[in-house]
Amino acid sequence: ELARAIVADGEGVTKVFEVQVTGAASESDARLAARTVTTSNLVKTAIHGADPNWGRILAAAGRSGAKVDPARASIRIGGVAVFERGTPRPFDAAAVRTVFERPDIAIALDLGLGDATARAWGTDLSAEYVRINADYTT
């Protein structure tokens, strides 16, 4: 609870998202994928702008260094299946935008390669964050 509260208290944060990685080939791969998704500026800005761009999530996992096979991966955003075993799923974009408008967002990424899991929290990247950090020098 305290760790999540610290994340939520960051500069300019308006949303916190949790990435739950399952089906990773190893615990190390699960952690790498989860952390890379949560630190991706493209994912953070998509969440801030309520853009249902699941490709940014898969791309972040793919560049994480973890073993990722897009043909076996699946993604759910707030429980909405948007990508399943390598295939984009038809989904209601407005429903996913509604999920991204919440202050707490759940993203599930199943890599389909094993039994390892990991969880990480991230925050959106807001215009307020940019303003706060652009308005001073050290």
Side-chain angles (χ1 to χ4, degrees):
E1 232 175 84
L2 180 59
R4 196 209 160 281
I6 290 169
V7 170
D9 194 37
E11 295 172 330
V13 169
T14 66
K15 302 169 189 178
V16 174
F17 64 100
E18 179 179 298
V19 175
Q20 179 72 42
V21 174
T22 58
S26 69
E27 189 175 307
S28 172
D29 278 359
R31 282 194 310 267
L32 274 171
R35 287 182 179 157
T36 303
V37 171
T38 59
T39 60
S40 165
N41 285 339
L42 289 174
V43 172
K44 291 169 160 286
T45 55
I47 288 173
H48 182 74
D51 176 9
N53 190 336
W54 57 263
R56 291 181 177 187
I57 297 165
L58 188 60
R63 70 175 169 74
S64 70
K67 182 188 265 186
V68 175
D69 179 353
R72 298 177 75 169
S74 299
I75 300 170
R76 292 184 170 276
I77 299 172
V80 178
V82 295
F83 187 78
E84 194 165 355
R85 290 187 294 276
T87 304
R89 303 281 302 159
F91 65 93
D92 181 353
V96 176
R97 282 188 190 94
T98 299
V99 170
F100 277 171
E101 290 171 354
R102 299 176 190 159
D104 295 293
I105 300 151
I107 297 172
L109 171 59
D110 183 349
L111 298 179
L113 297 170
D115 296 324
T117 66
R119 172 176 66 158
W121 292 305
T123 63
D124 63 337
L125 184 57
S126 68
E128 179 66 7
Y129 172 85
V130 174
R131 188 199 61 74
I132 289 168
N133 286 283
D135 283 351
Y136 71 90
T137 61
T138 57

